[in-house]
Amino acid sequence: MHWPYVKRGDFTGILFVAVLFTVITLVLLFLPQLKQDFGLGPEWQCARIEVGDPICVRLVQENEAS
């Protein structure tokens, strides 16, 4: 079987796709860990759990408690 030689454009395209997939993979791996925003305001604190939805608790200020 005769394989054609890899040209400069072929190598550039393969390298571009490999870098693109690497960048997408890194963004998907690290972006959710950078910011956990569940659509609530800053007065809410949310924690992820292994199974199910996150548990969110509203933080109460001292002047609101009394």
Side-chain angles (χ1 to χ4, degrees):
M1 182 174 214
H2 183 311
W3 289 92
Y5 291 106
V6 178
K7 298 178 181 148
R8 181 176 290 182
D10 297 333
F11 182 73
T12 305
I14 293 169
L15 184 63
F16 175 75
V17 170
V19 169
L20 182 68
F21 281 142
T22 302
V23 168
I24 290 172
T25 302
L26 290 175
V27 166
L28 290 176
L29 283 175
F30 293 114
L31 187 63
Q33 295 174 359
L34 294 178
K35 182 179 180 186
Q36 295 181 0
D37 185 14
F38 300 105
L40 302 173
E43 67 273 3
W44 289 85
Q45 182 178 8
C46 298
R48 291 186 184 266
I49 55 175
E50 291 182 19
V51 179
D53 293 331
I55 296 175
C56 297
V57 179
R58 184 173 176 219
L59 303 174
V60 180
Q61 296 180 355
E62 290 181 21
N63 57 2
E64 290 181 13
S66 54

